[in-house]
Amino acid sequence: VRVATFTSVADQWVPTLLTGFQQLYPGIEFDLMNSERYAEIEEWIRAGKVDCGFVSLPTVTDLDAVFLQRDMLMAVLPQDHPLIGSAVFPVEQLCEERLIALKEDADYEIGRFLDALPNRPKPLYQVSSDHTILSMVESGLGVSIMHSLGARADRYQVTWKPFDVHQYRDIGIATAKGARLSGAARLFVEHVCKALGT
């Protein structure tokens, strides 16, 4: 089964999904392809390079997609940050911080969130890896904005805070419209929907 995914899903969902699936259907082989660009994942699905893929919804119209979960944008703070005790992180505070941002071509949702603010904060650092961002925040180099799915990565000593302005992405699993999936691929998509769907 060929599956396309992006980092936060690959880190937080895929291991558990594969473990559960292999318990039900042992011996099925998987080929996982990772991209931080949703458009690239959509193209892999359309071109038949993968059987299915995790996407940000809404997706292109020539894919069949099923909503799985909503994922909220959050502030990621070093543990000695002055606002560590507050219930929310005010978005206007971002302009006062050393901001560590995921590169724009990798996550346009964060870019849209920043563009919608009255004063768009300018990142001090632009990074292409979620793990690098978390490590930099942990080291006290600044604050960042990430999706709440990444908060499950408890190997970093950082604090996650919701913003006072909410922004989400909806995650789904998609296949090419009208695609004739193999039995194993169809079973995997059904397994994902059952395990993660609301």
Side-chain angles (χ1 to χ4, degrees):
V1 179
R2 299 163 303 162
V3 182
T5 185
F6 46 92
T7 299
S8 54
V9 165
D11 285 355
Q12 303 305 320
W13 287 353
V14 169
T16 302
L17 289 169
L18 292 180
T19 299
F21 187 79
Q22 291 290 358
Q23 289 170 351
L24 295 169
Y25 310 103
I28 294 176
E29 297 177 1
F30 282 83
D31 181 8
L32 303 175
M33 295 175 62
N34 195 70
S35 176
E36 292 310 316
R37 293 177 46 240
Y38 301 132
E40 184 172 38
I41 292 174
E42 292 166 347
E43 181 53 37
W44 288 345
I45 298 168
R46 285 203 301 270
K49 290 185 177 180
V50 294
D51 300 304
C52 61
F54 293 92
V55 295
S56 178
L57 300 175
T59 189
V60 291
T61 57
D62 55 349
L63 298 182
D64 287 326
V66 177
F67 170 78
L68 297 173
Q69 288 188 17
R70 179 161 274 184
D71 192 19
M72 183 171 61
L73 282 182
M74 297 184 76
V76 188
L77 313 176
Q79 293 196 319
D80 62 350
H81 193 279
L83 295 177
I84 207 79
S86 65
V88 295
F89 189 88
V91 291
E92 66 269 10
Q93 179 67 29
L94 288 171
C95 290
E96 309 300 320
E97 300 286 345
R98 293 172 296 169
L99 183 61
I100 306 165
L102 198 62
K103 285 188 178 176
E104 294 285 8
D105 63 341
D107 195 331
Y108 56 83
E109 289 148 341
I110 292 174
R112 274 199 318 255
F113 175 68
L114 295 175
D115 287 342
L117 299 179
N119 296 309
R120 192 187 201 283
K122 183 169 174 45
L124 181 61
Y125 305 102
Q126 291 198 35
V127 183
S128 58
S129 162
D130 290 345
H131 296 292
T132 303
I133 289 173
L134 289 167
S135 182
M136 291 173 72
V137 171
E138 181 181 50
S139 297
L141 289 170
V143 305
S144 192
I145 304 165
M146 295 181 71
H147 292 97
S148 58
L149 188 56
R152 300 176 193 177
D154 59 1
R155 53 197 132 159
Y156 298 96
Q157 299 300 309
V158 297
T159 298
W160 297 75
K161 291 280 179 194
F163 286 106
D164 57 347
V165 175
H166 296 288
Q167 178 71 35
Y168 300 92
R169 72 173 167 188
D170 289 333
I171 302 174
I173 189 162
T175 58
K177 193 173 286 292
R180 297 184 63 176
L181 298 177
S182 68
R186 183 179 44 76
L187 287 170
F188 180 70
V189 171
E190 290 172 0
H191 175 73
V192 169
C193 292
K194 184 176 180 181
L196 297 173
T198 55

